[in-house]
Amino acid sequence: MLRSIASFSTTKLDKILGQLRQDADDVEKLVPIVQERIVRGERENAAQERRLAGIARAELSAFIQEQREDKVQRDLDRKRTRQKEVREWLRARNEANIRHQSRNVACRQPGTSEWLRDNETFLQWADCTTTHAVLWLSAAPGMGKSVLCAHAVEQIKDMRPASAVAFHYYRFDEQYTAIEAYRNIAEQLFDQFWEQTQDVPDDLHAQTQSSSSDPSKVKRFIELLLSRIVEVYILLDGLDEECGEKSRWTDALEVLEYFEGLTSTMPSSVRLWCSSQDRLCVRTKMQGYPAINMTEKSTSADIVRYLAKALPMLAVNEVDPGTETMILEDLKDKAKGNFLWAQLMVQSLEQADNLDDVVRRIQDGLPLELDRYYERIFQSIHVEHRTLACKIFSMVVFAKRPLLLEELSEAVGMTYTKEQSNLDSSKEPFKRRLKALCAPLIDVYDQETSNVCTLTHSTVQSFLLKRPQILQPKDTAHAMTMHVIDEGELATACLKYLCQPRYRDLLVKLGNSFLTSSGEDVAKHHLLTYAAKYWDRHLENLGCGDALFASVESFLQSPQFVTCLQVQSLCVEGQFSLWFSNIQMCLGYRRTFPRWFTECGQRGQKFVSDYTRFVDDWGYVLGSNKGDIDRCLWGALGPRSFLSGNAGRYSSFMYVETDEPYDSAPYLYYDGVVADGSCCVVIRVETRSVVDVAQH
């Protein structure tokens, strides 16, 4: 019946159901396989994601590291830039200080001066836990104070390696103002602070935004440094060298009192050493402080060591021990602890031919006084060479700083050159001849690429100032020729040098060089910078004669004077800046004319007034744009200014009333425009006289 009812065969339905069951079984078998594939894919995706994430993290880490390194480099560059800015702001001139320190260290024979390290007074001073903050070392001339000071610097560095040591050597042939001494010491302290920290804190760098011409700013910089350094030792040598001239002693005394004051306010961190001859002006300031007095007893053993090493016949064992002992004892007794005398005796004995000559020179030929020794040296110069020798010693004695050998050669040659002519190089003495005449009282020693000429000791200068005619021949045949050591030689050389025709036109800049109109590089004009800076200083002591006044007046009205101003702008730091005068107690410009020139009536005062107004207007430009003097608007100075006729890059003029009297009172004008431009404010300050304008 069922079969009759169904419309199709059940067999076919069974097949379909069986196929479905098979498919279900196959699907059931495939499920774990598919699931495994899905899980494996997820793992692979996760691994890929982790790999990509790792790459990203590595890249991010590298980027962060790069940023860190870049930041470190930027910080280092910033600090180095700050360091450079600080050194440029200080404008120190420590070259001479470093030269003296190196030279004094080299002069000390090994084994000498070791007594200082065992000296109880020195050890107590060097120990910052004691109250002995100031120490005075005194001795007679030639006892070796400067060498001992240099040795003290090395000893302190060895004993207190974490401390900072700064030194300043005063020398008879180099003048330092108070602010220059502050700058030198500040630079030394700053360099040591930089070496320790490699950093320039904000408050230190902030000082560079103020004027380094202001002593108070430099002193504030020093005080900020002292607050960051645990121990500081300041050593001032040669204070007695400044006692002879009021202005020099005023500056030295200011420096001494400043650092003396710091030892009172910071006794546990600041120590002050002073070494000098026992002069009244120094002794008055040093009363009450611990002192070391160098005597024959303290240096006699060092004298023997020095002589044993320095005398050639002893150094190479050419004499027997008994004779050696006799020579050393005899020399020691005559030296009386004076190293300078011993050094001069060594130079004399080096000329001995044999032992008998040595004994004779010791017994008969060695003067016991330095003056007698100097006299013998000068009298030994041949009469034919005394004219040249007189020029050499005149220039070295009165130089405002140690002359380079090339400067000395040109200065001597200039004195033999005709007036209003360029330097005749054939008139310059041979360098070997200069060196021969300089020895043994003038040292010529290397300083980088130049040779520096300086007297061996201040006693040579003192002798020549007392005996300026020491080179005057005694025989009647040469008595008419005057040989006098005076400042006129160098004064004449400087003025003639600046008046050379080749300086009628301004110097022209080519790359990093400045050339004359004929194409000469002025870097080869060795005396030019010195003459431009010191010409008026050398004329200072010559007095106001009609001929000299006329020569100076002619120079000021010549185009060569403008070239001189250009050289000052290029090479003389702060020439056109305001400076504080300790003597006049006011701000002013560096003096440009000899004092007597302004005291010879209205003509000289008029030059000073015109020059001062020029610097008021153009000093900033000349100070910041080195050598660009042709930018000055000369015509705008007014037709009555002696500078108004100079040619410049631009044309200019001044409106003036033709009936204005020459002696009318000067005025200072200050003007400003309000922010909206609606009006202009003009302030006129009336001064009392032309001299007021020049001085204040």
PDB file of all heavy atoms in Angstrom, residues 476-491:
ATOM      1  N   THR A 476     138.711 111.326  23.039  1.00  0.00           N
ATOM      2  CA  THR A 476     138.390 112.621  22.416  1.00  0.00           C
ATOM      3  C   THR A 476     137.994 112.479  20.955  1.00  0.00           C
ATOM      4  O   THR A 476     137.242 113.298  20.431  1.00  0.00           O
ATOM      5  CB  THR A 476     139.588 113.563  22.532  1.00  0.00           C
ATOM      6  OG1 THR A 476     140.748 112.912  21.943  1.00  0.00           O
ATOM      7  CG2 THR A 476     139.884 113.889  23.992  1.00  0.00           C
ATOM      8  N   ALA A 477     138.472 111.441  20.290  1.00  0.00           N
ATOM      9  CA  ALA A 477     138.163 111.283  18.865  1.00  0.00           C
ATOM     10  C   ALA A 477     136.687 111.043  18.621  1.00  0.00           C
ATOM     11  O   ALA A 477     136.149 111.404  17.574  1.00  0.00           O
ATOM     12  CB  ALA A 477     138.985 110.127  18.289  1.00  0.00           C
ATOM     13  N   HIS A 478     135.994 110.427  19.591  1.00  0.00           N
ATOM     14  CA  HIS A 478     134.571 110.120  19.421  1.00  0.00           C
ATOM     15  C   HIS A 478     133.691 110.872  20.421  1.00  0.00           C
ATOM     16  O   HIS A 478     132.497 110.594  20.536  1.00  0.00           O
ATOM     17  CB  HIS A 478     134.328 108.615  19.586  1.00  0.00           C
ATOM     18  CG  HIS A 478     135.052 107.768  18.591  1.00  0.00           C
ATOM     19  ND1 HIS A 478     136.331 107.312  18.809  1.00  0.00           N
ATOM     20  CD2 HIS A 478     134.683 107.300  17.363  1.00  0.00           C
ATOM     21  CE1 HIS A 478     136.720 106.583  17.769  1.00  0.00           C
ATOM     22  NE2 HIS A 478     135.743 106.558  16.873  1.00  0.00           N
ATOM     23  N   ALA A 479     134.273 111.820  21.134  1.00  0.00           N
ATOM     24  CA  ALA A 479     133.518 112.496  22.190  1.00  0.00           C
ATOM     25  C   ALA A 479     132.391 113.357  21.651  1.00  0.00           C
ATOM     26  O   ALA A 479     131.425 113.642  22.359  1.00  0.00           O
ATOM     27  CB  ALA A 479     134.463 113.353  23.039  1.00  0.00           C
ATOM     28  N   MET A 480     132.502 113.809  20.394  1.00  0.00           N
ATOM     29  CA  MET A 480     131.471 114.682  19.829  1.00  0.00           C
ATOM     30  C   MET A 480     130.194 113.911  19.495  1.00  0.00           C
ATOM     31  O   MET A 480     129.141 114.511  19.330  1.00  0.00           O
ATOM     32  CB  MET A 480     132.008 115.364  18.568  1.00  0.00           C
ATOM     33  CG  MET A 480     133.203 116.290  18.827  1.00  0.00           C
ATOM     34  SD  MET A 480     132.785 117.608  19.993  1.00  0.00           S
ATOM     35  CE  MET A 480     131.578 118.511  19.026  1.00  0.00           C
ATOM     36  N   THR A 481     130.286 112.607  19.365  1.00  0.00           N
ATOM     37  CA  THR A 481     129.107 111.793  19.059  1.00  0.00           C
ATOM     38  C   THR A 481     128.370 111.473  20.356  1.00  0.00           C
ATOM     39  O   THR A 481     128.945 110.887  21.270  1.00  0.00           O
ATOM     40  CB  THR A 481     129.518 110.485  18.364  1.00  0.00           C
ATOM     41  OG1 THR A 481     130.289 110.795  17.200  1.00  0.00           O
ATOM     42  CG2 THR A 481     128.288 109.680  17.975  1.00  0.00           C
ATOM     43  N   MET A 482     127.095 111.872  20.428  1.00  0.00           N
ATOM     44  CA  MET A 482     126.309 111.651  21.640  1.00  0.00           C
ATOM     45  C   MET A 482     125.628 110.288  21.595  1.00  0.00           C
ATOM     46  O   MET A 482     124.959 109.946  20.621  1.00  0.00           O
ATOM     47  CB  MET A 482     125.263 112.749  21.798  1.00  0.00           C
ATOM     48  CG  MET A 482     125.848 114.127  22.054  1.00  0.00           C
ATOM     49  SD  MET A 482     126.826 114.183  23.585  1.00  0.00           S
ATOM     50  CE  MET A 482     125.536 113.859  24.794  1.00  0.00           C
ATOM     51  N   HIS A 483     125.859 109.514  22.638  1.00  0.00           N
ATOM     52  CA  HIS A 483     125.198 108.224  22.774  1.00  0.00           C
ATOM     53  C   HIS A 483     124.470 108.223  24.116  1.00  0.00           C
ATOM     54  O   HIS A 483     125.089 107.962  25.151  1.00  0.00           O
ATOM     55  CB  HIS A 483     126.206 107.081  22.714  1.00  0.00           C
ATOM     56  CG  HIS A 483     126.929 106.979  21.403  1.00  0.00           C
ATOM     57  ND1 HIS A 483     128.204 107.460  21.214  1.00  0.00           N
ATOM     58  CD2 HIS A 483     126.543 106.465  20.210  1.00  0.00           C
ATOM     59  CE1 HIS A 483     128.585 107.234  19.968  1.00  0.00           C
ATOM     60  NE2 HIS A 483     127.596 106.628  19.333  1.00  0.00           N
ATOM     61  N   VAL A 484     123.178 108.514  24.090  1.00  0.00           N
ATOM     62  CA  VAL A 484     122.382 108.628  25.308  1.00  0.00           C
ATOM     63  C   VAL A 484     121.191 107.688  25.205  1.00  0.00           C
ATOM     64  O   VAL A 484     120.492 107.654  24.181  1.00  0.00           O
ATOM     65  CB  VAL A 484     121.896 110.075  25.532  1.00  0.00           C
ATOM     66  CG1 VAL A 484     121.082 110.166  26.821  1.00  0.00           C
ATOM     67  CG2 VAL A 484     123.081 111.031  25.573  1.00  0.00           C
ATOM     68  N   ILE A 485     120.962 106.928  26.260  1.00  0.00           N
ATOM     69  CA  ILE A 485     119.788 106.052  26.319  1.00  0.00           C
ATOM     70  C   ILE A 485     118.575 106.912  26.661  1.00  0.00           C
ATOM     71  O   ILE A 485     118.464 107.438  27.775  1.00  0.00           O
ATOM     72  CB  ILE A 485     119.963 104.960  27.396  1.00  0.00           C
ATOM     73  CG1 ILE A 485     121.275 104.192  27.189  1.00  0.00           C
ATOM     74  CG2 ILE A 485     118.773 104.017  27.415  1.00  0.00           C
ATOM     75  CD1 ILE A 485     121.340 103.404  25.917  1.00  0.00           C
ATOM     76  N   ASP A 486     117.670 107.112  25.718  1.00  0.00           N
ATOM     77  CA  ASP A 486     116.469 107.903  25.996  1.00  0.00           C
ATOM     78  C   ASP A 486     115.309 107.412  25.146  1.00  0.00           C
ATOM     79  O   ASP A 486     115.477 106.602  24.228  1.00  0.00           O
ATOM     80  CB  ASP A 486     116.708 109.403  25.776  1.00  0.00           C
ATOM     81  CG  ASP A 486     117.014 109.757  24.328  1.00  0.00           C
ATOM     82  OD1 ASP A 486     116.423 109.145  23.431  1.00  0.00           O
ATOM     83  OD2 ASP A 486     117.858 110.653  24.098  1.00  0.00           O
ATOM     84  N   GLU A 487     114.129 107.931  25.460  1.00  0.00           N
ATOM     85  CA  GLU A 487     112.895 107.469  24.811  1.00  0.00           C
ATOM     86  C   GLU A 487     112.702 108.060  23.430  1.00  0.00           C
ATOM     87  O   GLU A 487     111.861 107.599  22.660  1.00  0.00           O
ATOM     88  CB  GLU A 487     111.692 107.801  25.700  1.00  0.00           C
ATOM     89  CG  GLU A 487     110.429 107.065  25.320  1.00  0.00           C
ATOM     90  CD  GLU A 487     109.352 107.147  26.388  1.00  0.00           C
ATOM     91  OE1 GLU A 487     109.591 107.823  27.411  1.00  0.00           O
ATOM     92  OE2 GLU A 487     108.286 106.528  26.208  1.00  0.00           O
ATOM     93  N   GLY A 488     113.504 109.079  23.109  1.00  0.00           N
ATOM     94  CA  GLY A 488     113.329 109.751  21.832  1.00  0.00           C
ATOM     95  C   GLY A 488     113.539 108.854  20.635  1.00  0.00           C
ATOM     96  O   GLY A 488     112.920 109.061  19.585  1.00  0.00           O
ATOM     97  N   GLU A 489     114.401 107.844  20.770  1.00  0.00           N
ATOM     98  CA  GLU A 489     114.674 106.952  19.633  1.00  0.00           C
ATOM     99  C   GLU A 489     113.407 106.228  19.189  1.00  0.00           C
ATOM    100  O   GLU A 489     113.059 106.215  18.009  1.00  0.00           O
ATOM    101  CB  GLU A 489     115.760 105.933  20.020  1.00  0.00           C
ATOM    102  CG  GLU A 489     117.130 106.519  20.269  1.00  0.00           C
ATOM    103  CD  GLU A 489     117.840 106.909  18.984  1.00  0.00           C
ATOM    104  OE1 GLU A 489     117.277 106.688  17.891  1.00  0.00           O
ATOM    105  OE2 GLU A 489     118.956 107.441  19.083  1.00  0.00           O
ATOM    106  N   LEU A 490     112.708 105.615  20.134  1.00  0.00           N
ATOM    107  CA  LEU A 490     111.511 104.858  19.783  1.00  0.00           C
ATOM    108  C   LEU A 490     110.358 105.788  19.433  1.00  0.00           C
ATOM    109  O   LEU A 490     109.532 105.472  18.565  1.00  0.00           O
ATOM    110  CB  LEU A 490     111.120 103.926  20.935  1.00  0.00           C
ATOM    111  CG  LEU A 490     110.091 102.841  20.634  1.00  0.00           C
ATOM    112  CD1 LEU A 490     110.451 102.065  19.371  1.00  0.00           C
ATOM    113  CD2 LEU A 490     109.957 101.880  21.805  1.00  0.00           C
ATOM    114  N   ALA A 491     110.271 106.953  20.087  1.00  0.00           N
ATOM    115  CA  ALA A 491     109.229 107.930  19.760  1.00  0.00           C
ATOM    116  C   ALA A 491     109.374 108.402  18.316  1.00  0.00           C
ATOM    117  O   ALA A 491     108.397 108.468  17.556  1.00  0.00           O
ATOM    118  CB  ALA A 491     109.298 109.114  20.719  1.00  0.00           C
TER     119      ALA A 491
END
